[in-house]
Amino acid sequence: MKIEIIGVPNIPEIQQGDDLPRLILAGCESGGIRLAADDVLIVTQKIVSKAEGRMVDLNDVTPSQFAQDYAQKWGKDPRQIEVVLRESARIVRMDKGVIICETRHGFVCANAGVDASNVPGGHLVTLLPVDSDASALAIREAVRAETGVDVPVIVSDSFGRPWRQGIINIAVGVSGLAPLRDFRGEDDPYGYRMHATIISVADELTSAAELVMGKVDACPVAVVRGYPFVRAEGSSRELVIDPARDMFR
């Protein structure tokens, strides 16, 4: 198997209301990238959120007393803490200046996905899209309408991991492919029948693409080419563990 990862160049600074699929296709054209049916398009959450207007001006936020107290204890901006609290469905843990939250999407992550990086102005933060799967579907449908090619789309974001240093990119929105590959019931090369192995294909494709996209390289879109994915409507909700099986809830 050969897999190729291609960064899409010349994506401009995204503003609210921008036609994101059109800008992605323009970047592909400028980079000589002709989308094919076996490609997967990886798009960062940050530019999706910017296009959808999922941004908050901290100058417009009045922090609660709770946010002020926590921010003062740990040297944080109380306005940003307030936005994190508003975006959280549940606080999993608050300690040492870190807030681990469950979002309304079901994701468990730092700061409910509220992020000030790669945002101009110094007083703006981005939020996760309201429905990242719907965002991925909208991009997929627009690209298909323009090119005639049905390219799966994954919306990516950076998440930390328990017990591991360093962040990786994972899929927070999926459309057009099965995000999981279930090996249960299959035999390995030595004849062992697998009972628990389920691979997160969407997360692995997204994490691999980040090696090309980078965090500070202004390359928010990439094409993964050559991976034999399974076509399906797909959803990031399939990647969220059932609360009944969550040993850390």
Side-chain angles (χ1 to χ4, degrees):
M1 183 189 301
K2 177 182 177 181
I3 299 176
E4 185 178 8
I5 305 172
I6 310 164
V8 176
N10 301 323
I11 303 296
E13 176 62 35
I14 302 300
Q15 307 292 331
Q16 181 175 352
D18 280 350
D19 187 339
L20 195 53
R22 181 183 63 80
L23 294 174
I24 291 171
L25 289 174
C28 288
E29 183 176 0
S30 72
I33 304 167
R34 185 179 180 88
L35 292 176
D38 65 344
D39 291 341
V40 178
L41 197 61
I42 313 293
V43 183
T44 61
Q45 161 270 323
K46 192 63 59 68
I47 64 170
V48 172
S49 292
K50 287 178 179 179
E52 294 180 355
R54 290 285 289 163
M55 302 181 70
V56 172
D57 188 332
L58 295 179
N59 292 327
D60 297 332
V61 176
T62 301
S64 64
Q65 188 62 52
F66 182 83
Q68 293 181 53
D69 292 344
Y70 189 79
Q72 183 176 18
K73 180 178 180 181
W74 297 106
K76 302 292 184 179
D77 187 331
R79 302 169 302 173
Q80 188 164 341
I81 297 297
E82 178 64 27
V83 176
V84 170
L85 296 174
R86 293 177 184 178
E87 287 297 302
S88 301
R90 178 173 67 98
I91 301 298
V92 178
R93 182 81 182 270
M94 297 178 68
D95 194 14
K96 300 180 177 64
V98 177
I99 306 177
I100 305 299
C101 317
E102 181 179 345
T103 72
R104 295 178 182 87
H105 317 76
F107 306 134
V108 175
C109 58
N111 300 320
V114 177
D115 193 1
S117 67
N118 290 305
V119 182
H123 54 89
L124 300 173
V125 294
T126 58
L127 316 178
L128 292 176
V130 173
D131 186 339
S132 301
D133 289 333
S135 302
L137 176 60
I139 296 172
R140 175 186 163 207
E141 288 182 336
V143 169
R144 179 170 54 191
E146 182 67 26
T147 67
V149 181
D150 187 4
V151 179
V153 175
I154 299 176
V155 177
S156 70
D157 196 11
S158 301
F159 273 46
R161 301 161 295 161
W163 310 296
R164 302 288 289 182
Q165 287 281 16
I167 60 175
I168 63 171
N169 273 19
I170 71 165
V172 296
V174 177
S175 180
L177 59 77
L180 299 169
R181 182 177 176 187
D182 191 346
F183 286 90
R184 292 175 299 179
E186 297 187 27
D187 292 338
D188 73 7
Y190 300 96
Y192 174 76
R193 179 65 52 88
M194 290 183 281
H195 301 282
T197 303
I198 302 174
I199 302 298
S200 179
V201 169
D203 284 346
E204 291 193 332
L205 291 173
T206 303
S207 188
E210 198 279 329
L211 297 173
V212 169
M213 300 160 83
K215 290 286 178 259
V216 294
D217 298 328
C219 182
V221 181
V223 174
V224 179
R225 176 164 291 169
Y227 180 78
F229 60 85
V230 175
R231 287 198 174 273
E233 283 307 305
S235 171
S236 63
R237 293 176 179 84
E238 298 177 54
L239 300 168
V240 178
I241 194 167
D242 185 340
R245 297 178 54 241
D246 187 346
M247 297 173 64
F248 306 98
R249 180 172 290 268

